[in-house]
Amino acid sequence: MKKFLLVISLIIFSCNQTTVNNEKTKNVNSQMNKDLSIDLYDDDELDKIYTQLSTHYKTLSQKVIQSPEGYLEYPYLIPAGFYKQMWDWDGFFIGNYFASKGRPEYLKYWCLNLIKGIDSEGYVSGCATTNGPRPIFGKFSMKPFLSQGVYLSSKKMNNFNWIIPFYEKIKRVLTYREKTQRDNATGLFYWDVAMQSGADNNVAMNYFMEDKRKFLAPDISALQYKEYIAQAAIADSLGYNEDAVIYIKKAKELKEAINKYLWNNKDQIYYTMNVETRKHYKRVSYSSFVPLMMGIAEMNNGQAMINKYLLSENHMKAKYGFRTLSVEDPDYNNLNTIIPFSNWQGPVWPIANYIYSIGMKKYGFNSELKWLAGTIGTLLINDIKKYNTMHENYNADTGAALAPHDDYIDDKGNIVGFVGWNLCVENILNGVVNDKWMLLEVTTN
């Protein structure tokens, strides 16, 4: 009975995970985006791109796996190239890539390496090295991905029992975030500074520490929502029925708050909101689209937002993929920076495009996904052919490889590059070509 109730709750309150394939939706999207038809790749072209990228990834993917060493007791995942540390959301996406290839143990190892660092309050650093946790944002805990990683690895392995010794510690992380990053008046969550979000210099938030404004953000709130859903599913799988009910209730309330406070019905988009003024900060950025990844928007709203902004060349759609900031924003640029922060003010990030792709799939934009798969896949293949590696982002308007800059070389004189979560682009192509999607869905048995 409890599993039945949880399934019903997940259907009502969670991620709208059932793919929209009805003809009405397809026709609406096709009529509104006729201009995209000239950009579409045919099936043979997409199959070739998928095969090429998959072949390259067999070698490149091995660079992100490190053997246990020092503090890190389990094999750990790094972005490789420029970055040698184990990071929170990088490892989550890399681990899910391996899970999609039948190797979910690496996602489990990522979880175990992070769980080790959870303190008595529930704080856990979002970065860990062989020497120990690397607290880089004071007492800000890791980004909201741990419960999802625990659930998704367990689901793939068909084994939840390994979680039992760590279950209370994982719950503690959720409680800690509620104490430190939640606005009690709205129930929404905030980053202290955009750097905490991973989208380092996102203009939709403050990204210098001296800027003390706080913004209730669609990305952290949506990710915390998904953490609640995942924790409910974990509890259900372990027979902790009361916890399952509690976390489903938390998810329901947070979803309602996201749509109540962050959705701008006139502009048809999610904005960040200034905590003090309670006004929307109207910047069309990457973070606006994260709720679509979870299916939080009503179907008609999600479709309208994608059509108006993501698929518009006046906003997010560029020749080489989807931007991270609207081209109409006064701060839009494609500067090649990685220190003191990576540039999320316009460049095409493969991981952002993967995140966008999940939202597109959930809201029925199947034809447009062919353009994205072919475009971003070709971009990465060309980069690999030139440098034998990849970069973390690309100039949206020229396709030029950006960070890390060519000045960063290894002891053999080769560009160090980047691998990491770019691996998830293969999952976009696998979805389009073989209908095998990695949508990071949370379900029950």
Side-chain angles (χ1 to χ4, degrees):
M1 182 65 177
K2 66 183 179 63
K3 287 187 181 292
F4 173 77
L5 291 174
L6 182 57
V7 170
I8 294 300
S9 298
L10 286 168
I11 291 172
I12 295 174
F13 302 127
S14 67
C15 306
N16 287 337
Q17 292 163 341
T18 302
T19 303
V20 181
N21 288 316
N22 59 78
E23 290 302 317
K24 181 178 179 180
T25 300
K26 290 181 180 178
N27 290 338
V28 170
N29 292 340
S30 296
Q31 290 172 3
M32 296 183 75
N33 295 287
K34 287 181 179 180
D35 60 305
L36 282 176
S37 61
I38 59 173
D39 298 320
L40 296 183
Y41 293 77
D42 64 35
D43 291 343
D44 287 341
E45 289 176 307
L46 289 167
D47 186 64
K48 289 178 182 177
I49 294 169
Y50 170 65
T51 300
Q52 286 186 63
L53 196 66
S54 299
T55 301
H56 287 304
Y57 277 6
K58 288 178 181 178
T59 300
L60 287 174
S61 64
Q62 300 310 303
K63 296 183 178 183
V64 307
I65 303 173
Q66 302 293 299
S67 299
E69 182 182 350
Y71 173 81
L72 298 170
E73 298 179 4
Y74 300 90
Y76 62 100
L77 302 172
I78 65 171
F82 184 82
Y83 301 98
K84 303 298 183 184
Q85 309 87 2
M86 189 188 82
W87 294 88
D88 45 17
W89 70 332
D90 299 71
F92 172 80
F93 286 108
I94 297 168
N96 274 289
Y97 167 79
F98 283 113
S100 75
K101 308 292 280 187
R103 302 166 73 184
E105 66 272 16
Y106 287 108
L107 183 57
K108 177 185 175 182
Y109 296 150
W110 171 82
C111 295
L112 287 169
N113 282 324
L114 286 170
I115 289 170
K116 179 181 178 180
I118 299 173
D119 70 13
S120 59
E121 294 181 276
Y123 167 80
V124 54
S125 174
C127 179
T129 72
T130 56
N131 295 321
R134 180 185 167 195
I136 52 179
F137 297 118
K139 292 297 288 181
F140 174 81
S141 186
M142 66 171 287
K143 290 179 271 299
F145 285 100
L146 183 56
S147 294
Q148 295 172 72
V150 169
Y151 169 81
L152 290 166
S153 60
S154 302
K155 185 72 173 179
K156 280 287 187 179
M157 295 184 297
N158 195 28
N159 175 19
F160 284 82
N161 289 333
W162 70 273
I163 306 168
I164 295 174
F166 312 108
Y167 180 78
E168 291 300 324
K169 292 183 73 173
I170 297 167
K171 284 175 56 179
R172 203 182 302 155
V173 175
L174 295 170
T175 302
Y176 179 84
R177 191 172 295 112
E178 291 171 348
K179 291 179 179 178
T180 59
Q181 306 299 137
R182 184 173 64 182
D183 172 58
N184 291 330
T186 61
L188 295 168
F189 289 77
Y190 58 85
W191 313 106
D192 290 308
V193 64
M195 286 284 288
Q196 294 170 344
S197 75
D200 298 1
N201 60 350
N202 185 351
V203 302
M205 290 169 259
N206 50 317
Y207 54 95
F208 290 107
M209 293 301 294
E210 56 268 26
D211 184 348
K212 300 301 182 182
R213 292 176 299 169
K214 286 186 174 65
F215 292 97
L216 304 174
D219 50 354
I220 187 173
S221 296
L223 291 171
Q224 181 72 3
Y225 161 80
K226 191 69 174 289
E227 286 286 272
Y228 287 146
I229 295 293
Q231 193 64 30
I234 293 167
D236 181 68
S237 297
L238 295 176
Y240 304 149
N241 190 46
E242 290 184 6
D243 277 0
V245 172
I246 289 170
Y247 286 112
I248 282 296
K249 182 174 183 292
K250 287 177 181 287
K252 173 181 179 293
E253 292 172 349
L254 182 51
K255 178 181 177 180
E256 290 175 347
I258 292 169
N259 285 326
K260 178 179 180 180
Y261 294 108
L262 300 184
W263 175 258
N264 187 297
N265 200 50
K266 179 181 178 181
D267 294 353
Q268 297 181 307
I269 193 170
Y270 290 103
Y271 289 127
T272 56
M273 187 170 78
N274 188 300
V275 172
E276 292 185 359
T277 66
R278 301 295 178 187
K279 293 182 178 180
H280 283 159
Y281 194 41
K282 296 187 175 184
R283 313 296 287 269
V284 179
S285 75
Y286 143 83
S287 55
S288 295
F289 296 87
V290 177
L292 303 185
M293 179 186 181
M294 285 70 178
I296 289 175
E298 296 294 330
M299 184 58 62
N300 61 326
N301 288 341
Q303 291 174 350
M305 179 177 168
I306 290 172
N307 275 308
K308 186 173 182 179
Y309 297 100
L310 193 63
L311 300 180
S312 170
E313 294 181 357
N314 293 326
H315 288 288
M316 306 301 281
K317 183 175 180 284
K319 183 177 181 180
Y320 292 93
F322 292 122
R323 304 177 174 100
T324 45
L325 182 65
S326 169
V327 71
E328 290 192 349
D329 193 285
D331 288 322
Y332 174 79
N333 70 83
N334 283 282
L335 296 176
N336 186 354
T337 61
I338 199 168
I339 296 175
F341 36 60
S342 296
N343 187 11
W344 287 75
Q345 296 181 352
V348 168
W349 281 73
I351 187 58
N353 279 257
Y354 168 66
I355 289 170
Y356 297 151
S357 78
I358 297 177
M360 292 171 70
K361 183 63 179 173
K362 287 182 182 295
Y363 290 92
F365 290 84
N366 296 312
S367 296
E368 292 78 6
L369 276 164
K370 291 186 176 183
W371 170 82
L372 175 59
T375 299
I376 201 77
T378 300
L379 180 69
L380 293 181
I381 289 170
N382 290 338
D383 197 22
I384 294 167
K385 288 180 177 179
K386 183 175 182 179
Y387 294 108
N388 200 33
T389 185
M390 295 177 284
H391 292 70
E392 67 177 18
N393 54 31
Y394 300 83
N395 187 303
D397 304 317
T398 69
L402 299 178
H405 192 271
D406 294 357
D407 291 345
Y408 294 104
I409 57 175
D410 61 22
D411 55 5
K412 296 181 180 179
N414 299 317
I415 294 171
V416 296
F418 177 88
V419 180
W421 50 25
N422 288 6
L423 295 169
C424 293
V425 171
E426 182 182 339
N427 296 103
I428 304 176
L429 281 153
N430 197 19
V432 168
V433 173
N434 299 315
D435 199 28
K436 294 181 179 179
W437 297 92
M438 187 175 79
L439 302 178
L440 308 178
E441 293 180 323
V442 177
T443 57
T444 56
N445 295 326

